[in-house]
Amino acid sequence: MPPRPIPADASQLAHRLTVVLLLFATVLQKIAIPGTGGSETALPISLLLLPLLMLTGIGSGVMLVDGRRLAAYLVFMACSAVSFLLSESLRLSMTGWIFVAVMQACFVFRFAPGRFDFARTLRLLSSLAVAFSVIGVGQFFAQFVVGRELAFFMEHYLPPGMLMSGYNFMIPLVWDSPVLKSNGVFFAEPSFFCQFLAIGLIGELLRAARPWRLAVIGLGLITSYSGTGLMTLALFLPWYIVDRRRYDLILLGLVGLAVLATQADFLQLSAITDRTAEFSNPNSSAFGRFFSIFMVLQDYILTDLPTLLFGRGPGSVMEFFSQLHYGAFDPTWGKIFYEYGLVGFIAYFTFFTISFMMARRELRVPLAFTYLFLGGYLVNISILSLLLALVSLPALQRAAPGRGPRA
């Protein structure tokens, strides 16, 4: 028997929970639990709020446990337990393992089927992207008018105990440049800002694709001077344009690029275009982000059969980074392979496919690319909140058996 539709007030609650998740992914991104900020043990404040949000959804009946997701999750956790028990790494972390177990457990849940309006979520996503673009553009140009301290006031005036650690909040356009990339005020790094705007731009394209909104988000992307979100758009935006048959946007995009080309020196766009050469430089961030993990896996995981099968254990991925002659990075997929081996890798991606790739389809591919390849986001609550809000939690809309499409 199919589950009964949830009432309208529960549907409203589902939307409110989605709003909170998107705030976790944006406004609260670099705010730490009071007293923990500025230290290696800093914890995001949303880490305290996420369990409350999930309990609210479960207790009200808005969320339910998906049986297939739960089974796949338990298989992955069993494999990770084997990796933990067999590990000989000095960086083995029980805390890291617990974090993975708790954070990934969120993907077991989904909203109950009913009147959840996903179009409303896309409207919210688009509006947030426009708002943060305006804030980011304002921040970028404000540094020339009121100075960097006021333009980046959170970094300079918030108490150290309120800010997360381990992030590069303020990054110059190029080495030793006095000009800083925009981080949209609230985002932990310009790359996070850029990644969110890229998803927001696709969200607007899925709705009405209003040129003025796309242009505003595009300006925000430029002021971030980050390549990660632009890479997402380069890979997936053409498909969305063709799928939506919005060929007029190609012409508008070319006009926009032509206008930008005339202002390339003023906007210092070479800070973006010159980064394409970084992929061949072993000491560059581009090489580290996308290629270094293959060398790490070859040197430390493919060396013997037990390590290949079960990895080096939770929390161990960075154990040899200080000994490498190149800049290393641990994207989500590589971290899973390194720490849990081939067995854990297969188990996790079975879980990931069931709970993520078979959920909402509108944004799942660009978000999966962001999550798996653009950072080490296995326990990053900001990125996970974005995945939960836009893909995993929203209920799938299936037609009832024997009923045709509604007019």
Side-chain angles (χ1 to χ4, degrees):
M1 178 182 296
R4 291 177 297 175
I6 56 176
D9 57 341
S11 180
Q12 180 67 17
L13 176 59
H15 179 72
R16 290 173 180 171
L17 295 178
T18 301
V19 172
V20 176
L21 283 170
L22 291 177
L23 293 180
F24 289 173
T26 54
V27 175
L28 299 181
Q29 195 170 107
K30 59 187 176 187
I31 304 300
I33 296 174
T36 70
S39 66
E40 292 185 0
T41 58
L43 298 173
I45 193 169
S46 48
L47 189 63
L48 286 179
L49 304 177
L50 182 61
L52 296 177
L53 181 145
M54 301 301 291
L55 289 174
T56 299
I58 297 166
S60 63
V62 171
M63 293 182 190
L64 52 80
V65 175
D66 186 290
R68 293 187 305 165
R69 298 185 190 187
L70 177 61
Y73 169 77
L74 293 177
V75 170
F76 167 65
M77 290 311 302
C79 294
S80 69
V82 174
S83 298
F84 185 90
L85 294 174
L86 296 180
S87 174
E88 298 178 352
S89 173
L90 296 178
R91 285 185 63 99
L92 182 67
S93 173
M94 172 68 79
T95 302
W97 187 31
I98 294 173
F99 264 90
V100 171
V102 173
M103 299 304 296
Q104 293 296 315
C106 295
F107 290 119
V108 168
F109 302 95
R110 61 181 176 85
F111 287 137
R115 291 190 288 269
F116 182 79
D117 186 2
F118 188 71
R120 189 179 182 187
T121 299
L122 286 179
R123 289 196 298 271
L124 174 62
L125 174 65
S126 171
S127 297
L128 286 175
V130 170
F132 285 121
S133 290
V134 172
I135 293 172
V137 172
Q139 180 192 43
F140 180 78
F141 289 104
Q143 65 183 309
F144 304 109
V145 180
V146 300
R148 300 200 305 184
E149 288 193 6
L150 288 178
F152 294 81
F153 66 91
M154 292 186 70
E155 289 79 4
H156 287 93
Y157 295 110
L158 284 185
M162 289 187 62
L163 287 175
M164 291 291 295
S165 60
Y167 295 102
N168 295 319
F169 297 139
M170 298 183 295
I171 302 178
L173 293 190
V174 294
W175 176 254
D176 206 28
S177 171
V179 181
L180 297 176
K181 302 177 182 181
S182 175
N183 61 20
V185 175
F186 301 103
F187 293 83
E189 293 184 0
S191 61
F192 285 88
F193 178 43
C194 185
Q195 290 167 22
F196 178 80
L197 294 187
I199 298 301
L201 189 146
I202 294 175
E204 172 59 26
L205 185 58
L206 287 171
R207 292 194 59 248
R210 289 160 287 189
W212 73 268
R213 283 198 169 217
L214 297 175
V216 171
I217 298 174
L219 288 175
L221 284 164
I222 293 171
T223 60
S224 74
Y225 290 87
S226 177
T228 52
L230 296 179
M231 183 174 294
T232 300
L233 292 177
L235 289 174
F236 302 109
L237 192 58
W239 184 88
Y240 281 98
I241 290 176
V242 173
D243 182 63
R244 296 278 160 168
R245 299 181 181 179
R246 290 301 306 267
Y247 304 112
D248 57 307
L249 296 178
I250 298 177
L251 178 60
L252 292 175
L254 292 174
V255 172
L257 290 175
V259 173
L260 287 176
T262 64
Q263 304 298 319
D265 292 337
F266 173 73
L267 294 174
Q268 301 185 55
L269 295 183
S270 60
I272 298 176
T273 57
D274 289 350
R275 298 194 66 185
T276 56
E278 291 185 1
F279 289 96
S280 59
N281 183 357
N283 295 315
S284 70
S285 61
F287 180 91
R289 186 182 295 269
F290 296 104
F291 298 112
S292 65
I293 189 62
F294 292 100
M295 301 168 67
V296 172
L297 293 175
Q298 178 180 342
D299 293 340
Y300 299 104
I301 299 301
L302 306 183
T303 54
D304 59 83
L305 185 59
T307 306
L308 170 63
L309 293 178
F310 301 107
R312 296 281 297 172
S316 64
V317 69
M318 298 177 65
E319 59 183 333
F320 299 115
F321 278 16
S322 61
Q323 304 175 21
L324 303 177
H325 65 277
Y326 52 87
F329 186 72
D330 56 330
T332 303
W333 76 267
K335 176 181 174 68
I336 295 168
F337 202 123
Y338 188 98
E339 295 184 352
Y340 304 106
L342 181 61
V343 174
F345 184 85
I346 294 173
Y348 180 79
F349 276 88
T350 300
F351 168 59
F352 179 77
T353 300
I354 292 173
S355 61
F356 190 77
M357 297 303 288
M358 294 183 180
R360 296 297 311 197
R361 64 182 181 180
E362 290 88 347
L363 291 164
R364 63 186 178 187
V365 177
L367 274 171
F369 174 76
T370 299
Y371 172 62
L372 295 173
F373 296 100
L374 297 186
Y377 298 144
L378 190 63
V379 293
N380 186 296
I381 192 168
S382 299
I383 300 299
L384 293 179
S385 296
L386 200 60
L387 304 187
L388 287 169
L390 300 178
V391 179
S392 183
L393 281 178
L396 295 172
Q397 302 298 316
R398 295 190 179 98
R403 296 177 62 180
R406 298 176 62 183

